[in-house]
Amino acid sequence: DNFKFYLGKFNNKWGNGIYSINLSNKAPSYPQIGFIFDINSSINYEYIHGQLNSLLINESNSIIYINEVTSTTRQDNIFRNIVAHKLTFKLTNNIIVSGSESIIYANRNFDFHYLPFVAFFTIKDYLGDKDNLQLNADLKFVINDKNYIYTGLYVDEFDPLYIFDKNNQNWIIFQSGIDCKDLFIDKDNLKLEYSWADHRVYRNKLSVNNYYSHNYPLGLWSGPHSEVFYATYRLTL
């Protein structure tokens, strides 16, 4: 009753926001495998491993896909993969926190180093620091069964050695929002959300490790160097 396994080609959405800054449903779907494990009534763990489309041509394989009759070559792209895990903890009935790590790695099919229940940050260094690491934290405060506020912080290329340096790698996306039902009258709903993204997020010093699939960012739909304010008021009569 407390374990769910999934396999398919679809989008995953992580985060409390309307427009997720971590994993959203705005990018094209991609094949993935994963599971959700309810450790107890307060702690939840989720893990995914998926394959993205880098749209970067693998030149080394181009000779294999030559059609000698038409003198054309089929496009073969370099493998780009994502592996991520998230831990959600219900501190109280009103406060829910979650933290996640994700890694983008390329040019290999499935890296068994990034197994569940291990810290990706240390594995990335062990493999020679050639992969792209992201950290994300979410906080949700439930006011009552109809109203809640939330905030999220996404950190790209985090390195504790350079946190306070001028040439740091504190590349972030910040998000905060509120969702209120039956605010003024019955069956109304007010949603407000603000997101701000640094111009360096989602991209890596090695372009093959960018946080993109089919040139769409996996998180916030507007991508780096953007600001989004969302507001809706709905009323059912």
Side-chain angles (χ1 to χ4, degrees):
D1 293 337
N2 63 341
F3 189 87
K4 174 184 177 182
F5 172 81
Y6 54 83
L7 169 68
K9 184 176 182 291
F10 54 93
N11 274 323
N12 228 323
K13 184 177 184 297
W14 285 7
N16 302 308
I18 301 163
Y19 298 138
S20 177
I21 60 177
N22 187 4
L23 287 176
S24 72
N25 55 1
K26 299 300 181 183
S29 62
Y30 49 92
Q32 57 184 278
I33 186 172
F35 66 85
I36 301 173
F37 178 32
D38 295 326
I39 300 173
N40 56 40
S41 60
S42 300
I43 302 177
N44 172 277
Y45 180 83
E46 184 168 0
Y47 173 87
I48 67 167
H49 214 132
Q51 188 169 86
L52 312 173
N53 194 325
S54 70
L55 294 184
L56 298 175
I57 298 176
N58 190 343
E59 300 288 352
S60 62
N61 286 346
S62 60
I63 192 173
I64 301 176
Y65 296 101
I66 294 178
N67 187 324
E68 297 180 355
V69 177
T70 60
S71 298
T72 57
T73 303
R74 297 293 184 184
Q75 179 174 313
D76 180 42
N77 293 335
I78 296 174
F79 287 112
R80 175 186 289 166
N81 305 278
I82 181 172
V83 55
H85 57 184
K86 178 179 67 170
L87 187 67
T88 302
F89 186 34
K90 188 176 181 181
L91 293 174
T92 68
N93 290 332
N94 303 98
I95 301 175
I96 302 171
V97 297
S98 67
S100 67
E101 283 183 309
S102 57
I103 287 282
I104 301 293
Y105 67 92
N107 210 30
R108 50 200 199 271
N109 284 327
F110 190 94
D111 197 322
F112 287 95
H113 290 91
Y114 295 116
L115 294 174
F117 308 111
V118 297
F120 294 164
F121 183 85
T122 56
I123 297 298
K124 180 179 80 83
D125 288 342
Y126 173 78
L127 293 176
D129 194 24
K130 59 179 180 286
D131 301 329
N132 186 11
L133 170 74
Q134 302 82 37
L135 302 177
N136 190 85
D138 288 296
L139 172 63
K140 182 178 180 180
F141 180 73
V142 180
I143 302 171
N144 51 47
D145 59 346
K146 296 181 180 178
N147 304 282
Y148 64 88
I149 59 177
Y150 58 89
T151 186
L153 181 67
Y154 174 98
V155 184
D156 198 359
E157 295 290 351
F158 174 75
D159 194 326
L161 296 177
Y162 303 106
I163 292 178
F164 302 107
D165 286 4
K166 183 177 180 180
N167 186 26
N168 61 66
Q169 297 185 22
N170 305 328
W171 307 343
I172 68 169
I173 302 178
F174 171 78
Q175 183 179 82
S176 187
I178 185 169
D179 191 321
C180 299
K181 295 181 176 65
D182 298 346
L183 183 63
F184 302 112
I185 59 176
D186 289 342
K187 297 184 180 180
D188 71 345
N189 184 205
L190 173 68
K191 293 182 180 181
L192 301 173
E193 182 176 279
Y194 173 76
S195 306
W196 180 90
D198 187 281
H199 65 93
R200 296 163 292 189
V201 297
Y202 294 155
R203 293 175 288 194
N204 187 252
K205 54 184 176 289
L206 305 174
S207 60
V208 72
N209 289 332
N210 286 349
Y211 200 70
Y212 285 75
S213 184
H214 289 279
N215 284 338
Y216 285 83
L218 297 180
L220 186 64
W221 66 271
S222 55
H225 201 195
S226 64
E227 212 172 0
V228 181
F229 181 71
Y230 175 93
T232 59
Y233 178 74
R234 300 177 185 271
L235 174 63
T236 303
L237 298 177

